[in-house]
Every structure is written in C-alpha cells, then in structure tokens.
Coordinates of all heavy atoms in Angstrom, one line a residue:
M1 N 14.3 15.8 -30.4 CA 13.7 15.6 -29.2 C 13.9 14.2 -28.7 O 13.5 13.2 -29.5 CB 12.2 16.0 -29.3 CG 11.6 15.9 -27.9 SD 9.8 16.5 -27.6 CE 9.2 17.1 -29.0
G2 N 14.3 14.0 -27.5 CA 14.5 12.6 -26.9 C 13.6 12.5 -25.7 O 12.9 13.4 -25.4
S3 N 13.7 11.3 -25.0 CA 12.9 11.2 -23.8 C 13.7 10.2 -22.9 O 14.4 9.4 -23.3 CB 11.5 10.6 -24.1 OG 11.6 9.3 -24.6
V4 N 13.4 10.4 -21.6 CA 14.0 9.6 -20.6 C 12.7 9.1 -19.8 O 12.0 9.9 -19.3 CB 14.9 10.3 -19.6 CG1 15.4 9.5 -18.5 CG2 16.1 10.9 -20.4
G5 N 12.5 7.8 -19.8 CA 11.3 7.3 -19.1 C 10.1 7.7 -19.9 O 10.1 7.7 -21.1
T6 N 9.2 8.4 -19.3 CA 8.0 8.9 -20.0 C 8.1 10.4 -20.0 O 7.2 11.1 -20.5 CB 6.7 8.5 -19.3 OG1 6.8 9.0 -17.9 CG2 6.5 7.0 -19.3
A7 N 9.2 11.0 -19.5 CA 9.3 12.5 -19.5 C 9.8 13.0 -20.8 O 10.9 12.6 -21.2 CB 10.2 13.0 -18.4
P8 N 9.2 13.8 -21.6 CA 9.7 14.3 -22.9 C 10.9 15.3 -22.5 O 10.8 16.1 -21.6 CB 8.6 15.1 -23.5 CG 7.6 15.4 -22.4 CD 7.8 14.4 -21.3
C9 N 12.0 15.2 -23.3 CA 13.1 16.0 -23.1 C 13.6 16.7 -24.3 O 13.6 16.0 -25.4 CB 14.3 15.1 -22.5 SG 13.9 14.4 -20.9
R10 N 14.0 17.9 -24.2 CA 14.7 18.6 -25.4 C 16.1 18.8 -25.1 O 16.4 19.5 -24.1 CB 13.9 19.9 -25.6 CG 12.5 19.7 -26.0 CD 11.9 21.0 -26.4 NE 10.5 20.7 -26.6 CZ 9.7 21.7 -27.0 NH1 10.1 22.9 -27.3 NH2 8.4 21.3 -27.2
A11 N 16.9 18.4 -26.0 CA 18.3 18.6 -25.8 C 18.8 19.5 -26.9 O 18.1 19.5 -28.0 CB 19.1 17.3 -25.8
G12 N 19.9 20.1 -26.8 CA 20.4 20.9 -27.9 C 20.1 22.4 -27.9 O 20.5 23.1 -28.7
L13 N 19.5 22.9 -26.8 CA 19.3 24.3 -26.7 C 20.7 24.9 -26.4 O 21.4 24.4 -25.6 CB 18.4 24.6 -25.5 CG 16.9 24.2 -25.7 CD1 16.1 24.4 -24.4 CD2 16.2 24.8 -26.9
A14 N 21.0 26.0 -27.1 CA 22.3 26.6 -27.0 C 22.7 26.9 -25.5 O 22.0 27.6 -24.8 CB 22.4 27.8 -27.8
G15 N 23.8 26.2 -25.0 CA 24.2 26.4 -23.7 C 23.4 25.7 -22.6 O 23.8 25.8 -21.5
W16 N 22.4 25.0 -22.9 CA 21.6 24.4 -21.9 C 21.5 22.8 -22.0 O 20.8 22.3 -21.2 CB 20.2 24.9 -22.0 CG 20.1 26.3 -21.7 CD1 20.3 27.4 -22.6 CD2 19.8 27.0 -20.5 NE1 20.1 28.6 -21.9 CE2 19.9 28.3 -20.6 CE3 19.6 26.5 -19.2 CZ2 19.7 29.2 -19.6 CZ3 19.4 27.3 -18.2 CH2 19.5 28.7 -18.4
P17 N 22.2 22.1 -22.8 CA 21.9 20.8 -23.0 C 22.1 20.0 -21.7 O 21.3 19.1 -21.4 CB 22.9 20.2 -24.0 CG 23.7 21.4 -24.5 CD 23.2 22.6 -23.7
R18 N 23.1 20.2 -20.9 CA 23.3 19.4 -19.7 C 22.2 19.7 -18.7 O 21.7 18.9 -18.0 CB 24.7 19.8 -19.1 CG 25.8 19.2 -19.9 CD 27.1 19.3 -19.3 NE 28.1 18.9 -20.1 CZ 29.4 19.2 -20.0 NH1 29.8 20.0 -19.1 NH2 30.3 18.8 -20.8
L19 N 21.8 21.0 -18.5 CA 20.8 21.4 -17.6 C 19.5 20.8 -18.0 O 18.8 20.2 -17.1 CB 20.7 22.9 -17.6 CG 19.6 23.4 -16.6 CD1 19.9 23.0 -15.2 CD2 19.5 25.0 -16.7
V20 N 19.1 20.8 -19.3 CA 17.8 20.3 -19.7 C 17.9 18.8 -19.6 O 16.9 18.2 -19.0 CB 17.6 20.6 -21.2 CG1 16.4 19.9 -21.7 CG2 17.4 22.2 -21.3
A21 N 18.9 18.1 -19.9 CA 19.0 16.7 -19.8 C 18.9 16.2 -18.3 O 18.2 15.3 -17.9 CB 20.3 16.1 -20.4
G22 N 19.6 17.0 -17.5 CA 19.6 16.8 -16.0 C 18.1 17.0 -15.4 O 17.7 16.2 -14.6
A23 N 17.4 18.0 -15.9 CA 16.1 18.2 -15.4 C 15.2 17.1 -15.9 O 14.3 16.6 -15.1 CB 15.5 19.5 -16.0
C24 N 15.4 16.5 -17.1 CA 14.6 15.4 -17.6 C 14.8 14.2 -16.8 O 13.9 13.5 -16.5 CB 14.9 15.2 -19.1 SG 14.3 16.4 -20.2
L25 N 16.0 14.0 -16.3 CA 16.4 12.8 -15.5 C 15.6 13.0 -14.1 O 15.1 12.0 -13.6 CB 17.8 12.6 -15.3 CG 18.6 12.1 -16.5 CD1 20.1 12.2 -16.2 CD2 18.2 10.7 -16.9
L26 N 15.6 14.2 -13.6 CA 15.0 14.4 -12.4 C 13.4 14.2 -12.5 O 12.8 13.6 -11.6 CB 15.2 15.9 -11.8 CG 16.6 16.1 -11.3 CD1 16.7 17.6 -11.0 CD2 16.8 15.3 -10.1
I27 N 12.9 14.6 -13.6 CA 11.4 14.4 -13.8 C 11.1 12.9 -14.0 O 10.3 12.4 -13.3 CB 10.9 15.2 -15.1 CG1 11.0 16.7 -14.8 CG2 9.6 14.7 -15.5 CD1 10.9 17.5 -16.1
A28 N 12.0 12.2 -14.7 CA 11.7 10.8 -14.9 C 11.9 10.1 -13.5 O 11.2 9.2 -13.2 CB 12.7 10.2 -15.9
G29 N 12.9 10.5 -12.8 CA 13.1 9.9 -11.4 C 12.0 10.2 -10.5 O 11.7 9.3 -9.7
A30 N 11.4 11.3 -10.6 CA 10.2 11.6 -9.7 C 9.1 10.6 -10.0 O 8.4 10.2 -9.1 CB 9.8 13.1 -9.9
G31 N 8.9 10.3 -11.3 CA 7.9 9.3 -11.6 C 8.1 8.0 -11.0 O 7.3 7.3 -10.5
I32 N 9.4 7.5 -11.0 CA 9.7 6.3 -10.4 C 9.5 6.4 -8.9 O 9.0 5.5 -8.4 CB 11.2 5.9 -10.8 CG1 11.3 5.7 -12.2 CG2 11.7 4.7 -10.0 CD1 12.8 5.6 -12.8
A33 N 9.9 7.4 -8.3 CA 9.8 7.6 -6.9 C 8.3 7.6 -6.5 O 7.9 7.1 -5.5 CB 10.5 8.9 -6.4
A34 N 7.5 8.2 -7.3 CA 6.0 8.3 -7.0 C 5.4 6.9 -7.1 O 4.6 6.6 -6.2 CB 5.3 9.2 -8.0
S35 N 5.7 6.1 -8.1 CA 5.1 4.8 -8.1 C 5.7 3.9 -7.0 O 4.9 3.1 -6.5 CB 5.4 4.1 -9.5 OG 6.8 4.0 -9.7
S36 N 6.9 4.1 -6.6 CA 7.5 3.3 -5.5 C 6.8 3.7 -4.2 O 6.5 2.9 -3.3 CB 9.0 3.6 -5.4 OG 9.6 2.9 -4.3
A37 N 6.6 5.0 -4.1 CA 5.9 5.6 -2.8 C 4.5 5.0 -2.8 O 4.0 4.7 -1.7 CB 5.9 7.1 -2.9
S38 N 3.9 4.9 -3.9 CA 2.5 4.3 -3.9 C 2.5 2.9 -3.5 O 1.6 2.5 -2.7 CB 1.9 4.5 -5.3 OG 0.7 3.9 -5.4
A39 N 3.5 2.1 -3.9 CA 3.6 0.7 -3.5 C 3.9 0.6 -2.0 O 3.3 -0.2 -1.3 CB 4.7 0.0 -4.3
Q40 N 4.7 1.5 -1.5 CA 5.0 1.5 -0.1 C 3.7 1.9 0.7 O 3.4 1.3 1.7 CB 6.1 2.5 0.2 CG 7.4 2.0 -0.2 CD 8.6 3.0 -0.1 OE1 8.3 4.2 0.3 NE2 9.8 2.6 -0.2
S41 N 2.9 2.8 0.2 CA 1.7 3.2 0.9 C 0.7 2.0 0.9 O 0.1 1.8 1.9 CB 1.1 4.4 0.1 OG 1.8 5.5 0.2
C42 N 0.6 1.3 -0.2 CA -0.2 0.1 -0.2 C 0.2 -0.9 0.8 O -0.7 -1.5 1.5 CB -0.3 -0.5 -1.7 SG -1.2 0.5 -2.9
Q43 N 1.5 -1.1 0.8 CA 2.0 -2.1 1.8 C 1.7 -1.6 3.2 O 1.2 -2.4 4.1 CB 3.5 -2.3 1.6 CG 4.1 -3.2 2.7 CD 3.7 -4.7 2.7 OE1 3.1 -5.1 1.7 NE2 4.1 -5.4 3.7
A44 N 1.9 -0.3 3.5 CA 1.6 0.2 4.9 C 0.1 0.1 5.2 O -0.2 -0.3 6.4 CB 2.1 1.6 5.0
L45 N -0.7 0.4 4.2 CA -2.2 0.2 4.5 C -2.6 -1.2 4.7 O -3.3 -1.5 5.6 CB -2.9 0.8 3.3 CG -2.9 2.3 3.1 CD1 -3.4 2.7 1.7 CD2 -3.7 3.0 4.2
W46 N -2.0 -2.1 4.0 CA -2.3 -3.5 4.1 C -1.8 -4.0 5.5 O -2.6 -4.7 6.2 CB -1.6 -4.3 3.0 CG -1.9 -5.8 3.1 CD1 -2.9 -6.5 2.5 CD2 -1.1 -6.8 3.7 NE1 -2.8 -7.8 2.7 CE2 -1.7 -8.0 3.5 CE3 0.1 -6.8 4.5 CZ2 -1.2 -9.2 4.0 CZ3 0.6 -7.9 5.0 CH2 0.0 -9.1 4.8
V47 N -0.7 -3.6 5.9 CA -0.2 -4.0 7.2 C -1.0 -3.5 8.3 O -1.4 -4.2 9.3 CB 1.3 -3.6 7.4 CG1 1.8 -3.8 8.8 CG2 2.2 -4.4 6.5
E48 N -1.4 -2.2 8.3 CA -2.2 -1.6 9.3 C -3.5 -2.3 9.4 O -3.9 -2.7 10.5 CB -2.4 -0.1 9.1 CG -3.2 0.5 10.2 CD -3.7 2.0 10.0 OE1 -3.2 2.6 9.0 OE2 -4.5 2.4 10.7
R49 N -4.2 -2.5 8.2 CA -5.5 -3.1 8.2 C -5.4 -4.5 8.8 O -6.3 -4.9 9.7 CB -6.1 -3.2 6.8 CG -7.4 -3.8 6.7 CD -8.0 -3.7 5.3 NE -7.1 -4.1 4.2 CZ -6.9 -5.3 3.7 NH1 -7.6 -6.3 4.3 NH2 -6.1 -5.5 2.7
N50 N -4.5 -5.3 8.4 CA -4.4 -6.7 8.9 C -3.8 -6.8 10.3 O -4.1 -7.8 10.9 CB -3.7 -7.5 7.9 CG -4.5 -7.8 6.6 OD1 -5.4 -8.5 6.7 ND2 -4.2 -7.1 5.5
S51 N -3.1 -5.8 10.7 CA -2.7 -5.8 12.1 C -3.8 -5.8 13.1 O -3.8 -6.5 14.2 CB -1.7 -4.7 12.4 OG -0.5 -4.8 11.7
Y52 N -4.9 -5.1 12.8 CA -6.1 -5.1 13.7 C -6.6 -6.5 13.8 O -7.0 -7.0 14.9 CB -7.1 -4.1 13.2 CG -6.7 -2.7 13.1 CD1 -6.6 -1.9 11.9 CD2 -6.4 -2.1 14.3 CE1 -6.2 -0.6 12.0 CE2 -6.0 -0.7 14.4 CZ -6.0 0.0 13.2 OH -5.6 1.3 13.2
Y53 N -6.7 -7.2 12.7 CA -7.2 -8.6 12.7 C -6.3 -9.5 13.4 O -6.7 -10.3 14.2 CB -7.5 -9.1 11.3 CG -8.6 -8.4 10.6 CD1 -8.5 -7.5 9.6 CD2 -9.9 -8.8 11.0 CE1 -9.5 -6.9 9.0 CE2 -11.0 -8.2 10.4 CZ -10.8 -7.2 9.4 OH -11.9 -6.6 8.8
K54 N -5.0 -9.4 13.2 CA -4.0 -10.3 13.9 C -4.1 -10.0 15.4 O -4.1 -11.1 16.1 CB -2.6 -9.9 13.3 CG -1.4 -10.6 14.1 CD -1.5 -12.1 14.0 CE -0.4 -12.8 14.6 NZ -0.5 -14.3 14.6
D55 N -4.1 -8.8 15.8 CA -4.1 -8.6 17.2 C -5.3 -9.1 17.9 O -5.3 -9.3 19.1 CB -4.0 -7.0 17.5 CG -2.6 -6.5 17.1 OD1 -1.7 -7.2 16.9 OD2 -2.5 -5.2 17.0
A56 N -6.5 -9.2 17.2 CA -7.7 -9.7 17.8 C -7.9 -11.2 17.6 O -8.9 -11.8 18.0 CB -8.9 -9.0 17.1
G57 N -6.9 -11.9 17.0 CA -6.9 -13.4 16.8 C -7.4 -13.9 15.6 O -7.8 -15.1 15.5
Y58 N -7.4 -13.2 14.5 CA -7.9 -13.7 13.2 C -6.8 -14.7 12.6 O -5.6 -14.6 12.7 CB -8.1 -12.6 12.2 CG -8.5 -13.0 10.8 CD1 -9.7 -13.6 10.6 CD2 -7.6 -12.9 9.8 CE1 -10.2 -14.0 9.4 CE2 -8.1 -13.3 8.5 CZ -9.4 -13.9 8.3 OH -9.8 -14.3 7.1
C59 N -7.4 -15.8 12.0 CA -6.6 -16.8 11.3 C -6.5 -16.5 9.9 O -7.5 -16.6 9.2 CB -7.1 -18.2 11.6 SG -7.3 -18.7 13.3
F60 N -5.4 -16.1 9.4 CA -5.3 -15.7 8.0 C -5.3 -16.9 7.1 O -4.9 -18.0 7.4 CB -4.0 -15.0 7.8 CG -3.9 -13.7 8.5 CD1 -3.4 -13.5 9.7 CD2 -4.4 -12.5 7.8 CE1 -3.4 -12.3 10.4 CE2 -4.4 -11.3 8.4 CZ -3.9 -11.1 9.7
K61 N -5.9 -16.7 5.9 CA -6.1 -17.7 4.9 C -5.1 -17.5 3.7 O -4.8 -18.5 3.0 CB -7.5 -17.7 4.5 CG -8.4 -18.2 5.6 CD -9.9 -18.1 5.2 CE -10.8 -18.5 6.3 NZ -10.6 -17.7 7.6
T62 N -4.7 -16.3 3.4 CA -3.9 -16.1 2.2 C -2.5 -16.4 2.5 O -2.0 -16.2 3.7 CB -4.1 -14.6 1.7 OG1 -3.5 -13.8 2.7 CG2 -5.5 -14.3 1.4
R63 N -1.7 -16.7 1.5 CA -0.3 -16.9 1.6 C 0.4 -15.7 2.1 O 1.3 -15.8 3.0 CB 0.3 -17.3 0.3 CG 1.5 -18.2 0.4 CD 2.0 -18.6 -1.0 NE 1.0 -19.3 -1.8 CZ 1.2 -19.9 -2.9 NH1 2.4 -19.9 -3.4 NH2 0.3 -20.6 -3.6
R64 N 0.0 -14.5 1.6 CA 0.6 -13.3 2.0 C 0.3 -13.0 3.5 O 1.2 -12.6 4.3 CB 0.0 -12.1 1.2 CG 0.6 -10.8 1.5 CD -0.1 -9.7 0.6 NE 0.5 -8.4 0.9 CZ 0.0 -7.3 0.4 NH1 -1.1 -7.3 -0.4 NH2 0.6 -6.2 0.7
G65 N -0.9 -13.1 4.0 CA -1.3 -12.9 5.4 C -0.5 -13.9 6.3 O 0.0 -13.5 7.3
I66 N -0.5 -15.2 6.0 CA 0.1 -16.2 6.8 C 1.7 -15.9 6.8 O 2.3 -16.0 7.9 CB -0.2 -17.6 6.3 CG1 -1.6 -17.9 6.5 CG2 0.7 -18.6 7.0 CD1 -2.1 -19.1 5.7
G67 N 2.2 -15.6 5.7 CA 3.7 -15.3 5.6 C 4.1 -14.1 6.4 O 5.1 -14.1 7.0
Y68 N 3.3 -13.1 6.4 CA 3.6 -11.9 7.1 C 3.3 -12.0 8.6 O 4.1 -11.5 9.4 CB 2.9 -10.6 6.5 CG 3.5 -9.3 7.0 CD1 4.5 -8.7 6.3 CD2 2.9 -8.7 8.1 CE1 5.0 -7.5 6.8 CE2 3.4 -7.5 8.6 CZ 4.5 -6.9 7.9 OH 5.0 -5.7 8.4
F69 N 2.1 -12.4 8.9 CA 1.7 -12.4 10.3 C 1.8 -13.8 11.0 O 1.8 -13.8 12.2 CB 0.2 -11.9 10.4 CG 0.1 -10.4 10.0 CD1 -0.4 -10.1 8.8 CD2 0.4 -9.5 10.9 CE1 -0.6 -8.8 8.4 CE2 0.2 -8.1 10.6 CZ -0.3 -7.8 9.3
G70 N 1.7 -14.8 10.2 CA 1.6 -16.1 10.8 C 0.2 -16.4 11.4 O -0.7 -15.4 11.4
N71 N 0.0 -17.6 11.9 CA -1.3 -17.9 12.5 C -1.2 -18.4 13.9 O -2.2 -18.9 14.5 CB -2.1 -18.9 11.7 CG -2.9 -18.2 10.5 OD1 -3.3 -17.1 10.6 ND2 -3.1 -19.0 9.5
R72 N -0.1 -18.2 14.6 CA 0.1 -18.7 15.9 C -0.9 -17.9 16.8 O -1.0 -16.7 16.8 CB 1.5 -18.4 16.4 CG 1.8 -18.8 17.8 CD 3.2 -18.8 18.2 NE 3.8 -19.9 17.5 CZ 5.0 -20.4 17.8 NH1 5.7 -19.8 18.8 NH2 5.5 -21.4 17.2
G73 N -1.6 -18.7 17.6 CA -2.5 -18.1 18.6 C -3.8 -17.5 18.0 O -4.6 -16.9 18.7
C74 N -4.1 -17.9 16.8 CA -5.3 -17.4 16.2 C -6.5 -18.1 16.7 O -6.4 -19.3 17.1 CB -5.2 -17.4 14.7 SG -5.3 -19.1 13.9
S75 N -7.7 -17.5 16.6 CA -8.9 -18.1 17.1 C -10.1 -18.0 16.2 O -11.1 -18.7 16.4 CB -9.3 -17.5 18.5 OG -8.2 -17.5 19.4
Y76 N -10.0 -17.1 15.3 CA -11.2 -16.7 14.5 C -11.0 -17.0 13.0 O -10.1 -16.4 12.4 CB -11.6 -15.3 14.6 CG -11.9 -15.0 16.1 CD1 -11.0 -14.4 16.9 CD2 -13.2 -15.3 16.6 CE1 -11.3 -14.1 18.3 CE2 -13.5 -15.0 18.0 CZ -12.5 -14.4 18.8 OH -12.8 -14.1 20.1
D77 N -11.8 -17.9 12.4 CA -11.6 -18.2 10.9 C -12.4 -17.3 10.1 O -12.0 -17.0 8.9 CB -12.1 -19.6 10.7 CG -11.1 -20.7 11.3 OD1 -9.9 -20.4 11.2 OD2 -11.6 -21.8 11.7
D78 N -13.4 -16.7 10.6 CA -14.2 -15.7 9.8 C -14.0 -14.3 10.3 O -14.2 -14.0 11.6 CB -15.7 -16.1 10.0 CG -16.6 -15.3 9.0 OD1 -16.3 -14.1 8.7 OD2 -17.7 -15.9 8.7
E79 N -13.6 -13.4 9.5 CA -13.2 -12.1 9.9 C -14.4 -11.3 10.6 O -14.2 -10.4 11.3 CB -12.5 -11.2 8.8 CG -13.4 -10.9 7.7 CD -12.6 -10.1 6.6 OE1 -11.6 -10.6 6.1 OE2 -13.1 -9.0 6.2
R80 N -15.6 -11.7 10.1 CA -16.8 -11.1 10.8 C -16.9 -11.4 12.2 O -17.6 -10.7 13.0 CB -18.1 -11.5 10.0 CG -18.1 -10.9 8.6 CD -19.3 -11.5 7.8 NE -19.1 -13.0 7.7 CZ -19.7 -13.7 6.9 NH1 -20.7 -13.3 6.2 NH2 -19.5 -15.1 6.8
D81 N -16.3 -12.5 12.7 CA -16.4 -13.0 14.1 C -15.4 -12.4 14.9 O -15.4 -12.5 16.1 CB -16.3 -14.5 14.1 CG -17.4 -15.3 13.5 OD1 -18.6 -14.7 13.4 OD2 -17.2 -16.4 13.1
V82 N -14.4 -11.7 14.3 CA -13.3 -11.1 15.1 C -13.8 -10.0 15.9 O -14.5 -9.1 15.4 CB -12.1 -10.7 14.1 CG1 -11.0 -10.0 14.9 CG2 -11.7 -11.8 13.3
P83 N -13.5 -10.0 17.2 CA -14.1 -8.9 18.1 C -13.3 -7.6 17.9 O -12.1 -7.5 18.4 CB -13.9 -9.5 19.5 CG -12.8 -10.5 19.4 CD -12.8 -11.0 18.0
L84 N -13.8 -6.7 17.2 CA -13.2 -5.4 16.9 C -14.1 -4.4 17.4 O -15.3 -4.4 17.2 CB -12.9 -5.3 15.5 CG -11.9 -6.3 14.9 CD1 -11.9 -6.2 13.4 CD2 -10.5 -6.1 15.4
S85 N -13.6 -3.3 17.9 CA -14.4 -2.1 18.3 C -15.0 -1.4 17.1 O -14.5 -1.6 16.0 CB -13.6 -1.2 19.1 OG -12.7 -0.5 18.3
A86 N -16.0 -0.6 17.3 CA -16.6 0.2 16.3 C -15.6 1.1 15.6 O -15.6 1.3 14.4 CB -17.8 0.9 16.8
N87 N -14.7 1.7 16.5 CA -13.7 2.6 16.0 C -12.7 1.8 15.1 O -12.3 2.4 14.1 CB -12.9 3.3 17.1 CG -13.8 4.3 17.8 OD1 -14.8 4.8 17.3 ND2 -13.4 4.6 19.1
V88 N -12.3 0.6 15.4 CA -11.4 -0.1 14.6 C -12.1 -0.6 13.3 O -11.5 -0.4 12.3 CB -10.9 -1.3 15.4 CG1 -10.1 -2.3 14.4 CG2 -9.9 -0.9 16.6
R89 N -13.3 -1.0 13.4 CA -14.0 -1.4 12.1 C -14.2 -0.1 11.2 O -14.1 -0.3 10.0 CB -15.4 -2.0 12.5 CG -15.3 -3.4 13.1 CD -16.5 -4.2 13.0 NE -16.3 -5.4 13.7 CZ -15.9 -6.6 13.1 NH1 -15.4 -6.5 11.9 NH2 -15.8 -7.7 13.8
E90 N -14.4 1.0 11.8 CA -14.5 2.3 11.0 C -13.1 2.5 10.3 O -13.1 2.9 9.2 CB -14.9 3.4 11.9 CG -15.1 4.7 11.2 CD -15.6 5.8 12.0 OE1 -16.6 5.6 12.8 OE2 -15.1 6.9 12.0
R91 N -12.0 2.4 11.1 CA -10.7 2.7 10.5 C -10.4 1.6 9.4 O -9.8 2.0 8.4 CB -9.6 2.6 11.6 CG -8.2 2.7 11.1 CD -8.0 4.0 10.4 NE -6.7 4.1 9.8 CZ -6.3 4.8 8.8 NH1 -7.2 5.5 8.2 NH2 -5.1 4.7 8.3
I92 N -10.8 0.4 9.6 CA -10.6 -0.6 8.6 C -11.4 -0.3 7.3 O -10.8 -0.4 6.2 CB -11.0 -2.0 9.1 CG1 -10.0 -2.5 10.1 CG2 -11.1 -3.0 7.9 CD1 -10.4 -3.8 10.9
A93 N -12.6 0.2 7.4 CA -13.3 0.7 6.3 C -12.6 1.9 5.6 O -12.6 1.9 4.3 CB -14.7 1.1 6.7
E94 N -12.1 2.8 6.4 CA -11.3 3.9 5.8 C -10.1 3.4 5.0 O -9.8 3.9 3.9 CB -10.8 4.8 6.9 CG -11.9 5.7 7.5 CD -11.4 6.5 8.7 OE1 -10.2 6.4 9.0 OE2 -12.2 7.1 9.3
I95 N -9.4 2.4 5.6 CA -8.3 1.9 4.9 C -8.6 1.2 3.6 O -8.0 1.4 2.6 CB -7.5 0.9 5.9 CG1 -6.9 1.7 7.1 CG2 -6.4 0.1 5.1 CD1 -6.4 0.7 8.2
K96 N -9.7 0.4 3.6 CA -10.1 -0.2 2.4 C -10.5 0.8 1.3 O -10.1 0.5 0.1 CB -11.3 -1.1 2.7 CG -11.0 -2.4 3.4 CD -12.3 -3.2 3.7 CE -11.9 -4.5 4.4 NZ -13.1 -5.3 4.6
T97 N -11.0 1.9 1.7 CA -11.4 3.0 0.7 C -10.1 3.5 0.1 O -9.9 3.7 -1.0 CB -12.2 4.1 1.4 OG1 -13.4 3.5 1.9 CG2 -12.4 5.2 0.4
L98 N -9.1 3.8 1.0 CA -7.8 4.3 0.6 C -7.1 3.3 -0.3 O -6.5 3.7 -1.4 CB -6.9 4.6 1.8 CG -7.3 5.8 2.7 CD1 -6.5 5.9 3.9 CD2 -7.1 7.1 1.9
E99 N -7.2 2.1 0.0 CA -6.6 1.0 -0.9 C -7.2 1.0 -2.2 O -6.5 0.9 -3.3 CB -6.7 -0.4 -0.2 CG -5.7 -0.5 1.0 CD -6.0 -1.8 1.8 OE1 -7.1 -2.2 2.0 OE2 -4.9 -2.5 2.1
R100 N -8.5 1.1 -2.3 CA -9.2 1.1 -3.6 C -8.8 2.4 -4.4 O -8.5 2.2 -5.6 CB -10.8 1.1 -3.4 CG -11.3 -0.3 -3.2 CD -12.9 -0.3 -3.3 NE -13.4 0.6 -2.3 CZ -13.8 0.3 -1.1 NH1 -13.4 -0.9 -0.6 NH2 -14.3 1.2 -0.2
R101 N -8.8 3.5 -3.7 CA -8.4 4.7 -4.5 C -7.0 4.7 -4.9 O -6.7 5.3 -6.0 CB -8.5 5.9 -3.5 CG -10.0 6.3 -3.3 CD -10.0 7.6 -2.4 NE -11.4 7.9 -2.0 CZ -11.7 8.6 -1.0 NH1 -10.8 9.2 -0.2 NH2 -13.0 8.8 -0.7
S102 N -6.1 4.0 -4.3 CA -4.7 3.9 -4.7 C -4.5 2.8 -5.6 O -3.3 2.6 -6.1 CB -3.8 3.7 -3.4 OG -4.0 4.9 -2.5
G103 N -5.4 2.0 -5.9 CA -5.3 0.9 -6.8 C -4.4 -0.3 -6.2 O -3.7 -1.0 -6.9
C104 N -4.5 -0.4 -4.9 CA -3.8 -1.5 -4.2 C -4.4 -2.8 -4.5 O -5.6 -2.9 -4.8 CB -3.8 -1.3 -2.7 SG -3.0 0.3 -2.2
D105 N -3.5 -3.9 -4.5 CA -4.0 -5.2 -4.6 C -4.8 -5.7 -3.5 O -4.6 -5.5 -2.4 CB -2.8 -6.2 -4.8 CG -2.0 -5.9 -6.1 OD1 -2.6 -5.2 -7.0 OD2 -0.9 -6.3 -6.1

C-alpha cells in the first residue's frame, strides 16, 4: 500500500494499477485544490471587508492593508469612526464570521 499526498492508495490490483494510481492522484489533487480554494476565499473575504472601509475613507495601519489599498485620500484613523451604513456593518460582521469559520488570518 502506497500513498500520494495524504490519500491512501492501493496499487497492484490485477488489471487496475494504473486506474487506481490515477484515482489516487485525483484524490490528492482535490485536497490541494480545496486548500487553495480556501486561501482564495479568505483573500476574497478580506478584500470585500476592507473595500467597505477603503471606500468610506479608512486609513489602513497594517502593511497588508496599506500595500493592497493604499492610504491616499483617507480620513479616518479609527474604524469605529468610519461612516458605514447599518447594512454594510452587518455585512462586515457576516464576513468576519465567515473568516473565523474558514480559519482565515
């Protein structure tokens, strides 16, 4: 019994070694794609959440925020002071929940 990635694979079944090995590669590849998709989801959530702040004039403090959005035209140093509608604040809360559930940084 061998393995590819974390997917257990059985080779050597009469007439099936190539099919089984190929299936194991697909399974292992799916794991890689899933973790990559999760990272992309975290990035998309981060961008959406912070876009609301950027559009309303927030001055980013983190290297990541400044690097991605910049601080040109910013007016608010405290995110609590940023004028956001109740609907936008609700969406930001939803995004934060999704980020926590997904294990985002």
Side-chain angles (χ1 to χ4, degrees):
M1 184 172 356
S3 68
V4 176
T6 59
C9 298
R10 293 185 190 184
L13 297 174
W16 295 87
R18 288 187 187 159
L19 179 60
V20 172
C24 290
L25 287 173
L26 286 174
I27 291 167
I32 292 167
S35 63
S36 177
S38 176
Q40 290 173 350
S41 296
C42 287
Q43 176 68 10
L45 290 168
W46 182 87
V47 169
E48 181 185 352
R49 177 172 53 83
N50 285 289
S51 291
Y52 295 118
Y53 289 107
K54 173 62 178 174
D55 293 344
Y58 179 66
C59 300
F60 292 93
K61 294 174 183 54
T62 65
R63 209 180 299 191
R64 182 180 182 191
I66 295 167
Y68 191 89
F69 294 102
N71 273 336
R72 180 172 285 200
C74 72
S75 305
Y76 302 96
D77 290 323
D78 190 330
E79 67 183 55
R80 293 173 295 191
D81 295 334
V82 179
L84 299 170
S85 71
N87 288 341
V88 168
R89 289 200 184 272
E90 185 176 313
R91 177 61 186 151
I92 288 171
E94 289 172 0
I95 292 169
K96 286 180 178 181
T97 298
L98 292 169
E99 287 174 315
R100 276 191 303 275
R101 285 183 188 161
S102 298
C104 301
D105 295 342

